[in-house]
Every structure is written in structure tokens, then in C-alpha cells.
């Protein structure tokens, strides 16, 4: 397993479960992550399709390195989420917030997994992506969701009253990953975390959470299975 450390950033190229199980108890102050959704259809064939065909608008020419771990069926995905969320719970200090991205299809399963892993569910923060795929005669699936929860009683990281939803477009030119989240959105979400804390992200992808943590002065522990995405995110985070 590859490990890099600079400043208060620690990065691992490996499987989230293997890395998490080696991390000490109560060693991070927040978990903010964006796991593979294994979404995109109700049949196993649809779920096992190439993530580019599931998550990209048809006709998009841009290609990204392959995204791993996105083809589980419903029950195995939910069970897997509960296992890594349980590891995150163990690794988080008491009072830590958890923020985990999901889409409309996986929202019910993710809320089961979050609570089954021991987290106290506090709510859902919709993320309005603005530029979702139009669908004739149907509502756009314009939002993804951040489920938020805490370990024990939430230790307040701010006295500010935070918004209940965020509207933030994905800027294609800034994307390095098929499912990149905007750094500006992550910066907003970090408001709930302690300013001197360490944020854990077991599914680093192109590094949006890591970049936002560096910009906001948070420590960061990131894990990514794909060597290609690991190299991309390490360089992006290191540059900040
Ligand atoms: C939804 S993406 C994260 C995108 C990221 N938030 C961004 O803005 O770039 C999920 C990432 O998890 C990685 N992944 C999948 N299975 C994994 C595993 N078992 N351990 C660690 N990373 C994994 C995928 O390769 C993918 O890059």
C-alpha cells in the first residue's frame, strides 16, 4: 500500500476497508466522503454498466480514468457501506460529524447503512447541481444529497446557523473525475467541522475534499483505490 504524508495531510493508495481497519480508534474529527453509488438502474445489468455510461450525459466526449467499485447489487452495496461506515465510526472521535454523498436512488439504503453503523442520523442536505440531464415529461434529477449524522452528541464546530441546501454547479472545465464534486461545495460543508480538526475521506477520487480541507486549514486523511486517481489527487492536493 502506498502512503504519502505532507503537513497534516495523509494519503493512502489502497482499499478503504484495509486502510481503515489499520487506523487507530478516535483519531479523526469528521468524516466527509463521496463513495461509489453503485446506482444507475434497478437491474444488476444496469448497475454493472460502465460508470461513464451511467453517470455522464449522452454525447459527452470527455473521458476519465475508470471509476472502481461501482457495480455492487443493492444488498451487497448496503452491507459494504455499513461495514466501512462502522470503521469510520470507530476511527472518529466522540462528537464527530459524518457527511456522506448519495443520490436519490441510494438515499434510503444509505440512511439504513449510516444508522446501522452506529451513527446518529441528523438530516439530509440537498445539493442542487443546477445542470442535470433534462428528461422529457419528467422531473429532472437535479439534486444529490448529503446525509449528515454524528457520533454521540455533535460537538459544534461553529456558532453559525448553516443553510439547509446548497446550489452549486459542476464546472466541467474543473472536473478531473467522472463524478467530481465542486471544491466550493465541499468548502461550504466543512463549516460544520472543527477548524483545527482532521477530516477523513475514504473515497478520495480526484481530491475535491482534500483540496477544500487544505484551503480551509483542516487536516486530511484521504484513501483511494485507483492508482490513477490517487496520482491525480495527490498532485492536486500537494499543490495547494
Ligand atoms: C464518487 S468517487 C469520489 C469523487 C470525489 N469526491 C471527487 O470529487 O473527485 C468514489 C471514488 O472511490 C474510489 N473507490 C472505489 N472503491 C474503493 C475502495 N474500496 N477503497 C477506496 N476507494 C475506492 C473510486 O475509484 C472513486 O474514485
Amino acid at each position: 500500500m502506498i502512503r504519502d504524508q505532507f503537513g497534516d495531510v495523509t494519503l493512502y493508495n489502497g482499499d478503504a476497508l484495509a486502510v481503515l481497519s489499520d487506523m487507530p480508534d478516535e483519531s479523526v474529527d469528521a468524516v466527509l466522503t463521496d463513495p461509489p453509488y453503485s446506482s444507475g438502474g434497478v437491474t444488476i445489468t444496469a448497475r454493472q454498466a460502465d460508470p461513464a455510461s451511467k453517470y455522464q450525459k449522452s454525447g459527452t466526449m470527455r473521458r476519465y480514468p475508470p471509476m472502481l467499485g461501482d457495480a455492487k447489487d443493492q444488498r451487497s452495496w448496503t452491507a459494504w457501506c455499513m461495514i466501512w461506515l462502522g470503521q469510520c465510526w470507530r476511527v472518529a472521535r466522540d462528537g464527530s460529524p459524518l457527511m456522506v454523498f448519495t443520490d436519490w436512488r441510494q438515499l434510503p439504503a444509505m440512511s439504513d447503512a449510516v444508522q446501522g453503523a452506529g451513527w446518529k442520523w441528523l438530516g439530509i442536505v440537498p445539493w442542487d447541481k443546477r445542470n442535470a440531464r433534462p428528461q422529457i415529461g419528467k422531473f429532472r434529477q437535479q439534486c444529490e444529497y448529503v446525509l449528515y449524522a454524528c457520533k454521540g452528541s455533535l460537538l459544534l464546530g461553529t456558532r453559525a446557523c448553516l443553510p439547509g441546501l446548497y446550489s452549486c454547479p459542476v464546472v466541467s472545465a474543473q472536473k478531473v473525475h467522472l463524478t467530481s464534486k465542486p471544491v466550493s461545495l465541499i468548502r461550504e460543508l466543512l463549516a460544520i467541522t472543527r477548524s483545527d480538526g482532521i477530516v477523513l475521506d475514504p473515497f478520495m477520487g480526484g481530491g475535491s475534499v482534500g483540496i477544500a480541507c487544505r484551503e480551509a486549514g483542516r487536516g486530511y486523511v484521504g484513501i483511494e483505490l485507483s492508482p490513477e486517481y490517487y496520482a491525480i489527487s495527490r498532485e492536486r492536493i500537494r499543490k495547494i
Side-chain angles (χ1 to χ4, degrees), residues 14-16 34-36 68 177 179-181 202-208 224-225:
D15 182 88
D34 175 25
L68 305 179
H177 189 287
T179 66
S180 278
K181 302 297 179 287
F203 304 99
M204 181 161 63
S208 305
E224 171 58 47
L225 184 59

Side-chain angles (χ1 to χ4, degrees), residues 14 29 63 65 91-92 96 99-100 109 116 135 139 155 172 174 186-187 191-192 195 201 212 218 226 228:
D29 304 284
R63 288 282 164 259
V91 165
S96 296
M99 290 166 277
V100 55
Q135 303 195 79
F139 297 115
L155 243 176
S172 301
Q174 290 169 4
I186 308 292
R187 282 291 300 269
I192 204 170
S195 57
D201 171 18
R218 298 329 188 240
S226 150
E228 284 155 295

